[in-house]
Amino acid sequence: YDDQGKAVKTYAVPKLTGADDVYFVQGIGDDYLVVRPNRTGLLTLVDLKDDSVVTLADKLLTGKDLANARGGETPARGDGLLYAGNDENGQLYFYYADPAENGNGDSMRLTYER
C-alpha cells in the first residue's frame, strides 16, 4: 500500500506456493513473502527472485523442535517461529520460542540467509 492506502501490488499466494490454502502474511519484502498457511501452520518463505518456496522450520529447527513442529510425539502447537525482519544483505531474522514451553518468555534469535 502507498501513503494514501492504495494497493500498489498484489500477490496470488496460493499460486506462488502451489497450495490452495488460506495464508496469514507475516512479512513482505521487495522480493519475498513470509506467510503461514492455515493447514500446516508452518512459517513459509516465498522467494520471488527464484520462485522458490521454503518451509522455514525445515531450515531453522532441528531435533525435537523440528519433530514437534512437524507433528511429532508432542502435539504440535505450531512451529514457534516469528518473523522479525531482514537486512540489506538478504538475511532474514526470526525468533523461536518452543510452543511446548507454554510461553515462558524464552526465545532464540535465528537467521536465514537467502
Side-chain angles (χ1 to χ4, degrees), residues 35-76:
V35 299
R36 190 177 300 278
N38 189 52
R39 281 191 192 111
T40 67
L42 300 175
L43 203 61
T44 302
L45 170 67
V46 179
D47 194 324
L48 301 172
K49 290 190 302 186
D50 61 8
D51 295 326
S52 63
V53 178
V54 175
T55 301
L56 291 160
D58 294 338
K59 301 295 183 181
L60 298 172
L61 303 179
T62 60
K64 75 168 184 65
D65 296 324
L66 178 57
N68 288 341
R70 286 279 180 194
E73 292 180 23
T74 303

